[in-house]
Amino acid sequence: MTPQVACRFCAAGLTCEACDCGDQPLANSLVSMDAPDVPDPRFPLRVMVCSACLLVQLEQAADPGAMFTEYSYMSSVSAFWRDHTARFSAMAVDRFGLTAESLVMEVGSNDGTLLGAFAGRGIPILGIDPAANVTAEARRRGVPTLTAFFGERTATELAAGGRQADLLVANNVLAHAPALMDFVRGFARALKPAGVLSIEVPHVLAMLKGAQFDTIYHEHVFYFSALVLRKVLAAVGLAVFDVETLPTHGGSLRLLAQHAGTGQRPATPALDQVIKAEIDAGLHRPESYRILADAAARVVGGLRAFLDQARADGAVVAAYGAAAKGTMLLNAAGADSETIVFVADASPLKQGYRMPGCRIPIVAPDRLKAVRPDFLLVLPWNIADEIMEATRFIGAWSGQFVIPSPVLRVIAA
Ligand SMILES: [Zn+2]
């Protein structure tokens, strides 16, 4: 990894720091049980704000080729996501008038959960994702999927083969694409003249307000506002005509865009309203983003103090959710397998591995009943309610939940 000295959008020098998270392991690079007993590689994790265009981005980002060719997250595992995708497909078919003659394309289609919802409504679909294991699963489930990195070249090849989208969906992928401009040029190429682009990204405003410091990791290169994303899309001829704020990932933006020259949908007032909220919060000033560093210090300090106390009391602490934000928080707080016995996770793809850096083992949720921990640390706070509901049984032995962010709370089960 080499430090990026110029903004990935406007090429101005990156000199303004929002938060320095120190040296951290790659958050999604799970470690096998028989890996040699040597420290996992760590890389500097520093969030910068471009003083010229306000794009929030990492100074050093992980190479997507090393990360996404084998991916350990399957969309279908989360009941919340299945529900989210069902609502989205119903809305989109209705609002954009999709028919059996249309094509819905999804970039970062994972195991095909979202596209499957469109196929169920009789709409032709095509997925694109670089991870061979999840695309194989998607095809097994009957979702046509291309195993490829998305960008201008892939989109141009698809267009040459007569495949362009009436609806192009890119949910939670844009923030992970270091070659931002190649990616958005791909959007413009992949979209039919009257097509609609739907993008979902975590909203940097929610991140700042909610002290979501653990959403910072090397695979998450960009932290977007509507203010900036509108400019990025405009640079490739795409015009945002609607925006919605969503509760997903602790607060996300869904932007709808079309070709500036040929799109036909009128702009709604929502974009101006969201941008006004961003400006009211100071997102138009680079120095506003420094509150991230204060949030990080508070959340990490709170968890560290809790783990020290638990150890002093001889309490058994387990965690739930082997996702990237868990890796970040556990490593930043200096947790290890002495302080946290294991991380439970429902995904069979993660069980039997260890968390990067801190090397805490990942096990099936069943283990909770055998070990009966005093505390269950819920790492993915964005789906904390779903996790607490599924593990309410820890109340049988007076186990308690611990929610680390934005301020650590202990909740009876
Ligand atoms: Zn810039």
Side-chain angles (χ1 to χ4, degrees):
M1 261 187 238
T2 46
Q4 176 83 13
V5 293
C7 171
R8 294 173 179 85
F9 173 41
C10 78
L14 282 180
T15 54
C16 182
E17 178 187 294
C19 185
D20 187 346
C21 303
D23 290 350
Q24 296 293 343
L26 294 180
N28 284 316
S29 298
L30 301 181
V31 182
S32 74
M33 279 297 180
D34 53 6
D37 193 17
V38 293
D40 295 325
R42 287 176 185 260
F43 305 93
L45 185 57
R46 193 167 172 230
V47 184
M48 311 296 286
V49 187
C50 176
S51 323
C53 75
L54 299 164
L55 177 59
V56 181
Q57 56 200 291
L58 294 188
E59 185 174 53
Q60 298 193 36
D63 167 20
M67 295 180 308
F68 294 120
T69 46
E70 180 87 359
Y71 202 46
S72 58
Y73 177 77
M74 292 259 188
S75 309
S76 57
V77 170
S78 167
F80 177 84
W81 275 106
R82 283 198 303 270
D83 194 42
H84 181 67
T85 58
R87 277 197 308 272
F88 176 76
S89 60
M91 178 282 291
V93 169
D94 182 49
R95 182 169 175 186
F96 308 131
L98 301 174
T99 69
E101 309 300 312
S102 307
L103 177 64
V104 177
M105 233 188 254
E106 186 183 14
V107 178
S109 50
N110 198 269
D111 62 6
T113 301
L114 175 70
L115 287 174
F118 283 97
R121 292 168 186 278
I123 317 290
I125 53 174
L126 177 65
I128 303 158
D129 197 295
N133 63 331
V134 292
T135 51
E137 172 65 15
R139 284 190 290 268
R140 197 187 61 75
R141 294 162 53 159
V143 175
T145 307
L146 185 65
T147 306
F149 277 97
F150 185 76
E152 193 172 18
R153 203 177 86 182
T154 301
T156 302
E157 284 168 8
L158 284 169
R163 290 198 283 185
Q164 281 182 307
D166 295 274
L167 173 63
L168 177 63
V169 182
N171 288 348
N172 299 302
V173 288
L174 195 56
H176 301 274
L180 177 66
M181 297 319 291
D182 178 62
F183 215 85
V184 294
R185 279 194 298 271
F187 287 158
R189 294 289 298 139
L191 202 59
K192 281 184 189 166
V196 172
L197 169 67
S198 177
I199 301 178
E200 287 178 31
V201 289
H203 193 186
V204 74
L205 179 60
M207 179 190 183
L208 294 180
K209 285 188 167 170
Q212 297 164 1
F213 120 93
D214 54 357
T215 60
I216 303 167
Y217 46 92
H218 295 98
E219 293 90 331
H220 189 179
V221 192
F222 299 108
Y223 304 80
F224 288 112
S225 59
L227 200 61
V228 170
L229 200 43
R230 178 174 64 167
K231 288 188 284 185
V232 170
L233 293 172
V236 297
L238 295 172
V240 176
F241 65 89
D242 197 8
V243 64
E244 195 180 341
T245 52
L246 306 169
T248 47
H249 292 291
S252 295
L253 284 176
R254 177 188 292 150
L255 286 99
L256 299 176
Q258 60 191 345
H259 286 290
T262 52
Q264 299 139 0
R265 292 164 184 85
T268 72
L271 181 62
D272 288 340
Q273 287 161 8
V274 170
I275 287 178
K276 179 176 183 306
E278 292 178 347
I279 289 172
D280 288 346
L283 295 197
H284 58 308
R285 291 191 305 268
E287 57 275 18
S288 303
Y289 297 83
R290 291 195 188 121
I291 61 165
L292 256 184
D294 304 333
R298 187 178 71 237
V299 174
V300 170
L303 181 57
R304 196 173 283 162
F306 170 81
L307 292 174
D308 286 347
Q309 186 62 49
R311 175 183 278 206
D313 295 344
V316 175
V317 183
Y320 196 103
K325 52 172 76 70
T327 305
M328 265 307 297
L329 187 57
L330 293 175
N331 281 289
D336 57 24
S337 51
E338 299 286 307
T339 42
I340 294 181
V341 288
F342 55 71
V343 178
D345 196 287
S347 170
L349 290 177
K350 296 180 179 181
Q351 295 160 9
Y353 284 83
R354 288 184 284 177
M355 298 291 277
C358 61
R359 295 277 179 110
I360 299 170
I362 303 167
V363 302
D366 280 359
R367 287 288 295 156
L368 290 167
K369 288 176 179 161
V371 172
R372 299 163 70 98
D374 301 296
F375 296 101
L376 183 59
L377 174 65
V378 181
L379 294 170
W381 40 259
N382 54 311
I383 50 168
D385 290 344
E386 183 180 335
I387 290 169
M388 289 193 288
E389 202 47 54
T391 56
R392 192 71 66 193
F393 57 80
I394 68 168
W397 57 86
S398 303
Q400 294 178 285
F401 296 113
V402 180
I403 309 289
S405 177
V407 176
L408 187 132
R409 286 172 296 151
V410 177
I411 302 170

